[in-house]
Amino acid sequence: MGWVGLLVALAAGPVRADGQWYAAGLVGSLTEGSWHEALIPRDVQFAGSSLIGAAIGVERPLFNSRLHIGVEAQVVAHAGAQDHFELSVPITLRYTPRRLGPVESLAAGLGLSYATEIPQVEIDRNGASQRLFVHWLAEVEFALPRDHLTTFVRLHHRSDGYGLFEVDAGSTGYVLGLRKRF
């Protein structure tokens, strides 16, 4: 089917009132370490580079289950140690548990990231980088008192994808976001 076919299939059909489409704003900070080092917050050192961005996405139920598949388009502005824009388009898989306290959903996404400049944080950390890389995200979404409004925390990562791209580099950021479903 390919990427284009998947995007068309996801966007096809009427927009449902139960939150198929969403928009999100996000802010974050890049770390000095790898993604697995970011999982241990007490050991994290920050890279002196922040990000702010927006995303729009669409999700559809997968086989009438608690899983949803979707696509998200992100535009992120970096500031501080690097000053450029990043465009990312991950395909997402979201799980909505029956009851997990304030947790609304758990999600992961995988796609591509394009930076308008070669990211300085990645050069500083790895000696080199490039504009086009793999992008993945891991997210926990939390319910808020207002309908269709949630907040989320996310790892925002771009890298060579374990050798998929020639240059061995990458960066990871902590992100906090606000999402509105419509």
Side-chain angles (χ1 to χ4, degrees):
M1 183 190 253
W3 286 96
V4 173
L6 180 59
L7 295 175
V8 170
L10 288 170
V15 175
R16 297 184 338 245
D18 64 358
Q20 178 183 4
W21 288 87
Y22 64 84
L26 48 101
V27 296
S29 185
L30 294 180
T31 68
E32 290 282 345
S34 63
W35 70 267
H36 50 84
E37 293 169 334
L39 297 177
I40 306 169
R42 65 178 160 77
D43 294 339
V44 169
Q45 294 181 7
F46 290 94
S49 188
S50 58
L51 57 92
I52 186 168
I56 189 161
V58 59
E59 294 177 338
R60 299 179 67 86
L62 188 61
F63 306 118
N64 201 19
S65 71
R66 295 192 155 297
L67 291 173
H68 289 75
I69 189 166
V71 63
E72 181 176 287
Q74 307 167 8
V75 177
V76 174
H78 291 268
Q82 57 191 24
D83 183 19
H84 67 272
F85 287 94
E86 177 185 348
L87 309 169
S88 301
V89 182
I91 301 296
T92 60
L93 186 62
R94 182 173 306 279
Y95 172 69
T96 306
R98 287 193 192 279
R99 192 75 168 133
L100 197 56
V103 174
E104 184 82 10
S105 73
L106 305 169
L110 180 64
L112 293 175
S113 167
Y114 177 80
T116 58
E117 304 275 333
I118 296 176
Q120 188 62 46
V121 168
E122 295 170 5
I123 294 170
D124 292 347
R125 184 172 170 267
N126 306 102
S129 188
Q130 63 185 52
R131 291 181 181 197
L132 184 65
F133 260 158
V134 169
H135 166 72
W136 65 254
L137 64 90
E139 175 186 294
V140 180
E141 181 182 33
F142 301 94
L144 291 175
R146 295 192 56 191
D147 283 347
H148 304 293
L149 192 63
T150 59
T151 188
F152 59 88
V153 293
R154 166 186 288 190
L155 283 182
H156 175 98
H157 180 77
R158 41 175 274 129
S159 72
D160 65 313
Y162 293 106
L164 187 61
F165 289 91
E166 184 177 330
V167 177
D168 182 15
S171 59
T172 302
Y174 289 121
V175 170
L176 176 64
L178 186 65
R179 177 177 288 123
K180 171 71 173 162
R181 295 185 187 279
F182 50 94

